[in-house]
Amino acid sequence: MTNEDRGTGPVEPGDEQAPSEQTPDEQTPDEQLAAELRNLLDRAAPVPDWLVEAGRASYGLRRIDAELAELTRDSAVDQPALAVRGAGEPRTLTFDADDLTVEVEVTGSGPERRLLGQLVPPQAARIEVDSRPPGGEDVTPAGQTVEADPRGRFAAGGIGPGPLRLTCHRAGLPAVATDWVLVG
């Protein structure tokens, strides 16, 4: 994607100002400052095309047929000192939807992670594990699906680093998909 695609117009070395819809006389001081900063940043550190494309592709990774379970707890954020202490420490994630909580412990490093999970309230379910690298291709072994037992417990292995989402399919209830979360 070029700067023209982003609506900032072409930016060439030596340009004093990126073209905008308003002339500088019509812009507020804040708008003028924002235009100057945008111009400066586009010259100093343009956004790589692959990053812009990854952002666009992320919209295709959403599930419109499932209720969203939001990330409400992440031990890597809630307890950053623990994350620094040792790379071998498990990371705990909690996702909440209206009628379901998904608790997950992520262990491992390098090319593979392991997930241990619990559905609350406890119930049997089919869990789809979706893991994608930055390029967007699915690396989860054969579209990995695991079963949660009647106590709501489940496990999955062979999860690569990168974005991760779980989708829980429960008998007679709508599917619940977690937020995407980066497991590194």
Side-chain angles (χ1 to χ4, degrees):
M1 172 179 246
T2 66
N3 288 323
E4 289 180 61
D5 295 332
R6 285 191 285 277
T8 60
V11 178
E12 301 293 328
D15 278 358
E16 294 301 316
Q17 180 174 333
S20 68
E21 293 180 19
Q22 296 177 319
T23 65
D25 294 336
E26 297 172 327
Q27 295 176 337
T28 67
D30 287 344
E31 291 170 332
Q32 289 174 3
L33 178 60
E36 289 176 26
L37 288 172
R38 183 174 34 257
N39 223 4
L40 177 66
L41 291 173
D42 279 344
R43 283 195 306 262
V47 177
D49 290 342
W50 66 266
L51 184 59
V52 174
E53 291 307 315
R56 283 190 177 146
S58 70
Y59 284 104
L61 300 177
R62 297 177 294 160
R63 289 193 69 120
I64 59 172
D65 60 338
E67 180 183 349
L68 180 64
E70 293 184 75
L71 179 64
T72 56
R73 183 173 183 283
D74 182 347
S75 64
V77 174
D78 298 339
Q79 303 167 348
L82 294 179
V84 173
R85 257 196 300 163
E89 295 291 323
R91 179 178 175 190
T92 57
L93 304 166
T94 303
F95 301 92
D96 287 313
D98 287 341
D99 65 344
L100 182 70
T101 296
V102 182
E103 297 175 343
V104 180
E105 180 179 272
V106 181
T107 57
S109 60
E112 289 192 4
R113 311 285 178 279
R114 180 164 171 77
L115 306 179
L116 292 175
Q118 173 73 52
L119 302 179
V120 179
Q123 57 196 285
R126 182 173 45 87
I127 314 289
E128 290 177 30
V129 181
D130 195 3
S131 173
R132 299 178 187 265
E137 51 190 88
D138 191 346
V139 294
T140 306
Q144 184 172 345
T145 300
V146 298
E147 297 294 325
D149 68 18
R151 293 182 181 174
R153 301 174 301 189
F154 63 93
I159 309 300
L164 171 75
R165 174 185 61 198
L166 304 174
T167 304
C168 304
H169 299 275
R170 305 167 293 161
L173 296 169
V176 174
T178 67
D179 276 334
W180 283 95
V181 64
L182 188 62
V183 293

